[in-house]
Structures are given as C-alpha cells and as structure tokens.
Amino acid sequence: MSFLEMLLRCVAVLVVFLVFPLVIGQTEHKVMAHMQGRLGPMYAGGFHGWAQLVADGVKFVQKEDIVPADADRRVFQLAPAVALLPYLVVLLAIPVGPGGFVGQAVDAGIFFVLAVMGIGVLGSLMAGWASANKFSLLGGLRTAAQLMAYELPMLLAAASVAMAAGTLSLPGILEQFEWWWVPWQIVGAFVFFVAGLAELQRPPFDMPVADSEIIFGAYTEYTGIRFAFFLLSEYAGILVVSALTTVLFLGGWHGPLPDQLGWLWTILKTFALALVVIWLRVTFPRLREDQLMRFAWTKLIPLALAQLALTGIVKVAIS
C-alpha cells in the first residue's frame, strides 16, 4: 500500500467518523419527534427542522467550559477524548465492501475491534472518578459493573461467527459468509447487538446515567463542548455496533446489489440497525440495576454459550 493510498483511506474513515454519527443524531431527533409528538425538532429552521443539529452544536460551543475546583483536572479534561477516539480506530478495521474496501485489514480483526471498544468505556470511568462528585463516581462504578457483565456475552457471540467462518479476520468472515448463516446465528446476533447497546449505555441499559437517581452519572459535571464529545461518542458507538452486527451476522456487503455497490448495501443495513437502536430508546423503560445484571448473567451468557455449542456441532457435522 502506497503512502498516498494509506492517506486517502485514513481521510475517508475520518470523514465517515465525523459525518455518519451526526446523521444518526439528526435521525434520532426526527424519529423521536414523530414517535413522541415533539414539536421543536420538527420546526427548527423551517423545512422539517433542518436546523436542529446546527442549533445543538451552537448551544454546546457557547456554553462555558467548567472544571470543578476539586477535580483531577488533567484526567477530567482527557476523559471525553478517551471515550471518543477508540471508535475512530475501530472504523479503520470494519470492511465496507469487497476488494479491499477497508481502512486497514487486521488478521485478528474481531479481537482487535472488541479490545479497542473496551478502551472507550474507560472514558466514563475516568470522568466519574475525576469529577470529585459522588453522583459521578456512582455512575462510573455502574459503568464498570455493566462493562464486566456484558463484555463476556458479546465476545462469546463474536467467537461463534469466527468459529463458523474459520477465521478471525472481518473481511475473511465476509468471504466465507453464506445466507443460511442468518437463521443459524440469529441468537448470537441478538446477544451481540443487545450487549453492544449495554456497553454504549443506551436505553433501556442506561442505568449508569439515570437522571432520576444520579443526575447524569459520570457526565454530571461536564458542560459545553466536552459534554458534546460524550454525546458524539454515543452516536459513534451506535454506528460501530450497528456496522459490526452487519458485518458479523447480516452478511455485510452481500445482497441483491452487484459487488461494486456492496458498500451501499452495508450502509443500508447499518442504518437500519441504527433505527432499531433509536426505536428501543423510545419504546422500552430503563432497567433497574439488579434487572440489568440479572439479564446479562442469567439470559445473555447462557444464550451465547448455547450458540457457541450449536456452532461447534454444526461445524463438526458439515465437515
């Protein structure tokens, strides 16, 4: 790979990282406005509320950047970047189309993306610890507990696909993909997607930021553009989880379109899953902390283990 090609790939990934999460955020405004009858997001700026996202950006930039007097200043300021940047790194390894249409192919792609995504949660832990606020600290501890509970089923579900394909490479998995995998791996897809939502702390798994109990969890003391970075990391996480679910369980670029348009098929599947994420926020209430932990350890982990066992049986049978 030449230096120019490498540079172009990095720029393309950066553009996607800066644009697609904002598109998901704007879509969430519109979808929630339709579902809940919210007037503001539908009228801001005129036609279909086109200026809502611009207004939000201006609002965050204008707000004063406040650091609590007793906070660990450096850790407090670094936390938003730690929460956001891992998703940029993960996007480099997600294949969008055939023929090397990926930022950087990684041999152990599944382990790489899951490991890097785990780093992003450290941003919430750093924010909760450094804020010198008991509510923020409690939110950080809840984040740590939630990460420990949902990381395991997510890894087991991804391991099932790797076993089926016989490779840890994301492009390699797509090259081995067959359509009969979809019903065969549907349980693993459910486990992976739900565990991904829990790691993003999206409703109904948003107990670490429960505003009725701990104000806004680890992000209580953040204002202005630093708080906007945490929101952007949430939307970037939705993009990454939806794209990974598409690649691992829904065939990625495979579809009725020609291979030259496979990238379009990947994007359509990814945004369809992002709409499901938004729909879940509007539809389901927040789980209590005990319900959240029980769901992970007594439901998702047994399902993931059952999927892994089924995959092993099928692989032995067809070989």
Side-chain angles (χ1 to χ4, degrees), residues 1-180:
M1 184 185 300
S2 65
F3 175 77
L4 179 59
E5 184 181 357
M6 180 182 66
L7 181 62
L8 290 176
R9 288 179 181 233
C10 290
V11 170
V13 171
L14 182 61
V15 170
V16 170
F17 178 74
L18 294 176
V19 174
F20 279 25
L22 296 180
V23 173
I24 293 175
Q26 180 78 339
T27 303
E28 183 171 59
H29 277 117
K30 305 308 175 186
V31 172
M32 292 180 64
H34 281 294
M35 288 184 173
Q36 298 181 331
R38 299 184 177 190
L39 297 181
M42 301 305 298
Y43 290 97
F47 177 72
H48 212 266
W50 65 269
Q52 180 64 49
L53 192 63
V54 177
D56 287 341
V58 172
K59 176 185 67 175
F60 284 125
V61 170
Q62 287 181 334
K63 285 189 174 181
E64 183 180 1
D65 181 20
I66 298 175
V67 179
D70 295 330
D72 188 324
R73 191 177 188 87
R74 290 185 178 179
V75 177
F76 183 88
Q77 294 174 337
L78 186 61
V82 174
L84 179 61
L85 290 181
Y87 295 116
L88 172 60
V89 178
V90 170
L91 282 178
L92 284 169
I94 297 179
V96 180
F101 205 152
V102 58
Q104 177 62 53
V106 181
D107 290 338
I110 287 183
F111 289 150
F112 173 78
V113 297
L114 292 180
V116 174
M117 285 177 63
I119 295 175
V121 182
L122 291 177
S124 299
L125 299 179
M126 293 168 61
W129 179 82
S131 294
N133 181 307
K134 60 182 180 181
F135 297 110
S136 299
L137 179 60
L138 183 57
L141 294 176
R142 286 183 175 182
T143 300
Q146 191 160 307
L147 169 65
M148 292 176 60
Y150 285 89
E151 186 75 21
L152 181 56
M154 193 175 189
L155 181 59
L156 290 173
S160 175
V161 179
M163 181 187 298
T167 177
L168 296 174
S169 169
L170 294 178
I173 290 175
L174 287 175
E175 290 173 0
Q176 299 296 324
F177 176 80
E178 299 290 345
W179 282 111
W180 60 273

Side-chain angles (χ1 to χ4, degrees), residues 257-269:
L257 300 177
D259 285 348
Q260 292 81 0
L261 297 176
W263 59 271
L264 180 58
W265 194 234
T266 301
I267 292 174
L268 290 175
K269 293 178 183 178

Side-chain angles (χ1 to χ4, degrees), residues 233-255:
S233 69
E234 179 179 328
Y235 292 125
I238 294 174
L239 173 66
V240 166
V241 169
S242 299
L244 283 176
T245 305
T246 295
V247 169
L248 294 176
F249 300 98
L250 299 180
W253 66 68
H254 295 283

